[in-house]
Amino acid sequence: MPEPMDKSTPAYSDNREAHLRRLRRVEGQVRGLQRMVAEDTYCIDVLTQVSAATRALQSFALELLTEHMSGCLVDAARAGDEEGEAKVQEAAAAIARLVRS
């Protein structure tokens, strides 16, 4: 059985560099959007890029949520106390925010 994750160590820490690369790509997409607006690019072209950046962020969020559930949430559930219930509620709220966005 794997050791429970330290509470101060995020579940994504093993993939930190990959996550940072993805976020830098999204940052580049957003800078590209700024450039497109500054250059008066056609609205539909800008909206297409907004959609791409949004999908990239949603994909990142889902991956991070999966890591959280398989790490932090599983560890808390194994503890079986109030912490476990609190983590389940926290994850449910995060999922609700993602679904509404």
Side-chain angles (χ1 to χ4, degrees):
M1 178 174 357
E3 284 292 314
M5 191 166 288
D6 183 303
K7 289 179 178 51
S8 64
T9 304
Y12 62 81
S13 63
D14 289 343
N15 297 318
R16 179 179 293 121
E17 289 307 314
H19 290 321
L20 288 171
R21 278 192 303 277
R22 288 181 79 173
L23 289 170
R24 283 191 284 275
R25 279 195 301 271
V26 172
E27 181 181 20
Q29 287 177 302
V30 172
R31 278 194 309 263
L33 283 165
Q34 292 171 341
R35 195 169 36 256
M36 291 173 83
V37 170
E39 295 171 357
D40 291 328
T41 302
Y42 183 60
C43 300
I44 298 302
D45 295 338
V46 175
L47 289 170
T48 298
Q49 290 306 309
V50 167
S51 178
T54 300
R55 283 191 315 269
L57 276 174
Q58 288 170 337
S59 175
F60 170 75
L62 288 173
E63 187 171 325
L64 197 62
L65 179 62
T66 299
E67 289 176 354
H68 176 71
M69 290 171 56
S70 64
C72 302
L73 191 59
V74 168
D75 290 344
R78 284 186 184 131
D81 56 7
E82 292 175 10
E83 177 188 353
E85 180 58 30
K87 289 289 185 185
V88 168
Q89 293 304 317
E90 180 182 62
I95 292 167
R97 285 190 302 274
L98 285 172
V99 169
R100 285 192 299 265
S101 65

